[in-house]
Amino acid sequence: MDTPLSVDKVRFLLFSFKEKLWIKPLGFCVLSLLAVFAAKIVDGTSLAEHIPKIEPDSVTTLLSIMASSMMVIATFSAGTMVNAYASASQSSTPRSLGLTISDDVSQNALSTFVGAFIYSAVALTAMSQKFYEEAGVFFLFCITCLAFAIVILTFIRWVDSVARLGRVESTMLKVESATERAIKQRIETPCLGAVPASEISEQGSYAVQSNEVGYIQLIDIAKIQEWASDNNVFVNIAMLPGEFVTPDKNIAFVNKDVDAEVIKSAFSISTSRSFEADPRFGFIVLAEIASRALSPSVNDHGTAIGTISSITRLLLLWSKVNVASNENKEQQPDYEVKYSCISVPEISVKDIFDDAYTSISRDGADNIEVAIRIQKSLQTLAKCFENNDSHVAEDFKTNAKHFAKLSFERSKQQLNFEPDIERLENVFSDSFIEQ
């Protein structure tokens, strides 16, 4: 019996569909065809006795205007979107392309224009064949007027959005929003709903490897749980979404010598990483945007500083929810284990800091503004946990100080102007040099 789709699996599939540019246009095309034939159904009712008579020529004229203009607008919108996608890849990072493609406003605009064209073309053909009676003509006239209103409103909204589509600032906001969603999901289920690996004293003796090569996009924990429960097996998941899998790496361990094909099939592996279940990927993409902005060809330290601000907001979001203050610790709900036959390791705080700060501190080492902003960002994170003695808070404080030290040493070697070095030393010593 197949395992029902879990919430995480459904969420992942919906996110994947949003990155497919053809999904929404196809749906709008189907709706437009249904609207055309729905008008014929009205002919079989007594509605014709209670509605005003509409001349078929007036409906035909409206449909002709729509048919002749919608394909031109749809072609224009598609060309504009392609240019925006190219701009997003060149000005920020190719890893952000999926988020740009999944922009709801652009997808809805293109879908509306294509759907309106197909609707008008099919309806015009039906009218020329005298397919409708009086009730059907009136209903089609109403639908056509509604379609005109939707097209006009969509176009106005799209014009406002297309000016920002593909811009660095817009891309940064999309990446930050996607990362925030992934963080909140991981906060709700720190170990994907399974038993924390730190609470397991023994690991299974039988390793499981995958035959695929690529990045883990999703682990269907519910599927593994049902299989493990049926076979009385405990599964230790060894790799998290976002990690790179090769046939020589163990993705899981089991405590029995059993056929583990179900475990392998529960790992969705692809050639690229996904934002949806991988919080670290968002930090990597933000760091890439900053590194590109700091390249000699771009030389835009303002974008790098804005990226550091985004990273700070995201890490503070994680820390505020994930770590309770001492006085409120007893009010925090305990972590609920949904999958008792599986253990999953927690995401590494050090890896997150490494993804977020290492490349920016390396590429911005010779820029005093960026170097100081990194120090202030890490200083903010360290201070948020001064009055908290939990292990997660300690991880944040330790890594904030460690990466601040690394960034300071990099910049100290790259900066040549003595007053800049003194400024950086003053910012660093205020918070990170122990008295």
Side-chain angles (χ1 to χ4, degrees):
M1 180 179 178
D2 293 336
T3 306
L5 289 177
S6 63
V7 175
D8 292 337
K9 185 72 172 180
V10 172
R11 186 188 298 117
F12 176 76
L13 292 175
L14 291 176
F15 182 81
S16 300
F17 281 135
K18 284 187 66 177
E19 292 185 335
K20 308 296 183 183
L21 194 57
W22 56 270
I23 294 291
K24 283 189 176 180
L26 177 62
F28 275 69
C29 291
V30 173
L31 288 176
S32 64
L33 292 175
L34 292 176
V36 170
F37 291 104
K40 182 61 179 176
I41 300 176
V42 180
D43 283 331
T45 67
S46 59
L47 187 62
E49 302 175 2
H50 309 285
I51 60 174
K53 182 178 179 181
I54 299 294
E55 291 296 331
D57 290 343
S58 62
V59 181
T60 301
T61 301
L62 288 175
L63 291 172
S64 299
I65 295 173
M66 186 181 293
S68 60
S69 59
M70 282 301 98
M71 182 51 69
V72 176
I73 296 177
T75 303
F76 169 72
S77 65
T80 303
M81 291 167 64
V82 170
N83 291 333
Y85 300 155
S87 174
S89 297
Q90 294 172 4
S91 62
S92 54
T93 170
R95 260 62 63 188
S96 65
L97 182 59
L99 293 177
T100 308
I101 290 177
S102 63
D103 178 69
D104 287 332
V105 176
S106 298
Q107 284 197 5
N108 290 339
L110 180 61
S111 303
T112 300
F113 301 150
V114 173
F117 170 76
I118 292 178
Y119 161 75
S120 57
V122 176
L124 197 59
T125 303
M127 288 293 295
S128 66
Q129 299 297 320
K130 303 186 183 305
F131 186 62
Y132 303 107
E133 299 176 10
E134 288 187 9
V137 171
F138 175 80
F139 187 73
L140 195 67
F141 174 76
C142 294
I143 296 177
T144 304
C145 292
L146 178 62
F148 261 109
I150 293 175
V151 167
I152 292 171
L153 293 175
T154 300
F155 185 78
I156 293 173
R157 186 186 179 204
W158 178 69
V159 168
D160 180 67
S161 173
V162 74
R164 296 184 294 272
L165 186 64
R167 303 294 184 226
V168 177
E169 296 81 1
S170 176
T171 302
M172 285 174 55
L173 289 175
K174 291 181 185 297
V175 174
E176 183 177 347
S177 178
T179 308
E180 182 178 337
R181 290 196 306 270
I183 289 174
K184 288 181 177 179
Q185 292 170 18
R186 188 57 63 91
I187 287 170
E188 294 174 359
T189 54
C191 297
L192 307 181
V195 179
S198 58
E199 297 181 5
I200 303 300
S201 57
E202 294 184 4
Q203 185 170 264
S205 303
Y206 301 92
V208 180
Q209 294 93 17
S210 174
N211 297 325
E212 300 181 66
V213 177
Y215 292 97
I216 300 174
Q217 290 193 332
L218 178 75
I219 304 175
D220 194 344
I221 299 293
K223 182 177 182 179
I224 299 177
Q225 169 70 20
E226 182 173 356
W227 173 83
S229 178
D230 293 341
N231 292 272
N232 194 24
V233 174
F234 192 88
V235 181
N236 306 105
I237 300 297
M239 304 185 75
L240 292 172
E243 297 191 53
F244 191 70
V245 176
T246 54
D248 63 313
K249 292 184 178 179
N250 300 322
I251 61 174
F253 295 88
V254 293
N255 59 350
K256 287 184 178 181
D257 186 9
V258 293
D259 184 5
E261 287 300 320
V262 172
I263 297 178
K264 297 179 184 180
S265 65
F267 283 73
S268 298
I269 299 174
S270 180
T271 55
S272 59
R273 298 175 74 163
S274 171
F275 289 93
E276 191 62 16
D278 181 10
R280 288 181 54 192
F281 187 46
F283 290 105
I284 291 172
V285 174
L286 286 171
E288 286 183 354
I289 294 174
S291 293
R292 177 164 293 194
L294 291 168
S295 65
S297 61
V298 179
N299 194 25
D300 178 16
H301 65 270
T303 294
I305 290 174
T307 304
I308 296 170
S309 299
S310 295
I311 290 172
T312 307
R313 283 192 295 270
L314 291 170
L315 288 175
L316 285 176
L317 170 71
W318 199 317
S319 64
K320 286 178 181 178
V321 182
N322 221 358
V323 183
S325 60
N326 288 337
E327 59 269 20
N328 294 327
K329 189 180 296 183
E330 62 275 2
Q331 300 176 9
Q332 298 296 316
D334 295 333
Y335 170 59
E336 179 183 358
V337 176
K338 298 180 181 179
Y339 308 110
S340 57
C341 297
I342 309 169
S343 71
V344 174
E346 294 186 53
I347 193 168
S348 170
V349 175
K350 182 179 180 180
D351 288 343
I352 295 174
F353 273 80
D354 186 32
D355 297 332
Y357 289 101
T358 297
S359 61
I360 303 177
S361 63
R362 179 193 64 228
D363 298 329
D366 59 349
N367 189 300
I368 184 61
E369 294 90 347
V370 175
I372 289 177
R373 183 54 64 95
I374 291 175
Q375 293 298 323
K376 290 184 176 180
S377 170
L378 292 165
Q379 172 185 332
T380 299
L381 293 171
K383 285 186 176 180
C384 285
F385 306 107
E386 283 184 350
N387 298 320
N388 194 301
D389 57 0
S390 70
H391 76 281
V392 178
E394 191 61 36
D395 279 347
F396 269 86
K397 288 187 291 186
T398 300
N399 283 286
K401 293 179 180 180
H402 173 69
F403 282 91
K405 177 68 174 176
L406 292 179
S407 178
F408 171 73
E409 294 296 338
R410 283 193 176 97
S411 295
K412 192 174 180 180
Q413 291 184 9
Q414 294 293 325
L415 293 171
N416 299 317
F417 190 52
E418 192 63 33
D420 284 346
I421 297 177
E422 292 179 2
R423 286 178 60 194
L424 186 61
E425 286 178 341
N426 290 335
V427 174
F428 176 72
S429 62
D430 285 345
S431 299
F432 294 111
I433 294 182
E434 296 182 1
Q435 303 298 327

